[in-house]
Amino acid sequence: MEIWINPACSKCRSAVQLLDAEGAEYTVRRYLEDVPSPDEIRAVLGRLGLEPWDITRTQEADAKELGLKEWPREAGSRERWISALVEHPKLIQRPIITADDGTAVVGRTDEAVRDALGR
């Protein structure tokens, strides 16, 4: 199990605390420092069953500067969105937990973190 976190994020800290309390074995990835590659983003999206715009923090300053709210949310724009996430990792929703069964969850709630633990 791996969890992508920003240590400054309270949701990330809560998820890590819950994983620790449950005795889970996991690896921490500080994705702002160890930025995921386009292939890693694609793989996580596949595990999540989501599109890149579904895991994009559109309220961030970078998102507003890029005008992401105006970008098309369609297959033809998918790579453009993935490139934006790689170039501006702060835009990636957090925390993302990759579960042992090959799936993943966006662990913003205790329920989502527990769901990942149960997989």
PDB file of all heavy atoms in Angstrom, residues 10 22 33 39 66 97:
ATOM      1  N   SER A  10      -4.135  18.608   6.179  1.00  0.00           N
ATOM      2  CA  SER A  10      -4.736  17.978   7.360  1.00  0.00           C
ATOM      3  C   SER A  10      -5.396  16.649   7.016  1.00  0.00           C
ATOM      4  O   SER A  10      -5.357  15.706   7.812  1.00  0.00           O
ATOM      5  CB  SER A  10      -5.745  18.918   8.018  1.00  0.00           C
ATOM      6  OG  SER A  10      -6.828  19.185   7.149  1.00  0.00           O
ATOM      7  N   GLU A  22      -4.353   1.632  12.716  1.00  0.00           N
ATOM      8  CA  GLU A  22      -4.812   0.314  12.271  1.00  0.00           C
ATOM      9  C   GLU A  22      -3.656  -0.665  12.058  1.00  0.00           C
ATOM     10  O   GLU A  22      -3.883  -1.814  11.694  1.00  0.00           O
ATOM     11  CB  GLU A  22      -5.620   0.449  10.973  1.00  0.00           C
ATOM     12  CG  GLU A  22      -6.909   1.230  11.142  1.00  0.00           C
ATOM     13  CD  GLU A  22      -7.938   0.495  11.992  1.00  0.00           C
ATOM     14  OE1 GLU A  22      -7.968  -0.748  11.972  1.00  0.00           O
ATOM     15  OE2 GLU A  22      -8.705   1.175  12.693  1.00  0.00           O
ATOM     16  N   GLU A  33       7.380  16.478  -3.807  1.00  0.00           N
ATOM     17  CA  GLU A  33       8.833  16.335  -3.957  1.00  0.00           C
ATOM     18  C   GLU A  33       9.173  15.223  -4.945  1.00  0.00           C
ATOM     19  O   GLU A  33      10.101  15.353  -5.731  1.00  0.00           O
ATOM     20  CB  GLU A  33       9.462  16.022  -2.590  1.00  0.00           C
ATOM     21  CG  GLU A  33       9.225  17.098  -1.553  1.00  0.00           C
ATOM     22  CD  GLU A  33       9.467  16.612  -0.134  1.00  0.00           C
ATOM     23  OE1 GLU A  33      10.107  15.548   0.057  1.00  0.00           O
ATOM     24  OE2 GLU A  33       9.005  17.285   0.789  1.00  0.00           O
ATOM     25  N   ASP A  39       2.984   8.348 -16.711  1.00  0.00           N
ATOM     26  CA  ASP A  39       2.562   6.948 -16.648  1.00  0.00           C
ATOM     27  C   ASP A  39       2.027   6.584 -15.265  1.00  0.00           C
ATOM     28  O   ASP A  39       1.065   5.821 -15.149  1.00  0.00           O
ATOM     29  CB  ASP A  39       3.717   6.008 -17.021  1.00  0.00           C
ATOM     30  CG  ASP A  39       3.999   5.987 -18.520  1.00  0.00           C
ATOM     31  OD1 ASP A  39       3.102   6.380 -19.312  1.00  0.00           O
ATOM     32  OD2 ASP A  39       5.108   5.579 -18.897  1.00  0.00           O
ATOM     33  N   LEU A  66      -4.120  28.556 -14.920  1.00  0.00           N
ATOM     34  CA  LEU A  66      -4.182  27.759 -16.146  1.00  0.00           C
ATOM     35  C   LEU A  66      -5.561  27.802 -16.812  1.00  0.00           C
ATOM     36  O   LEU A  66      -5.701  27.403 -17.963  1.00  0.00           O
ATOM     37  CB  LEU A  66      -3.838  26.297 -15.840  1.00  0.00           C
ATOM     38  CG  LEU A  66      -2.395  26.001 -15.445  1.00  0.00           C
ATOM     39  CD1 LEU A  66      -2.273  24.576 -14.914  1.00  0.00           C
ATOM     40  CD2 LEU A  66      -1.457  26.210 -16.623  1.00  0.00           C
ATOM     41  N   ILE A  97      -4.542   6.716  -1.912  1.00  0.00           N
ATOM     42  CA  ILE A  97      -4.038   5.474  -1.335  1.00  0.00           C
ATOM     43  C   ILE A  97      -4.205   4.365  -2.366  1.00  0.00           C
ATOM     44  O   ILE A  97      -5.311   4.132  -2.852  1.00  0.00           O
ATOM     45  CB  ILE A  97      -4.810   5.097  -0.051  1.00  0.00           C
ATOM     46  CG1 ILE A  97      -4.717   6.232   0.981  1.00  0.00           C
ATOM     47  CG2 ILE A  97      -4.286   3.780   0.520  1.00  0.00           C
ATOM     48  CD1 ILE A  97      -5.647   6.061   2.166  1.00  0.00           C
TER      49      ILE A  97
END
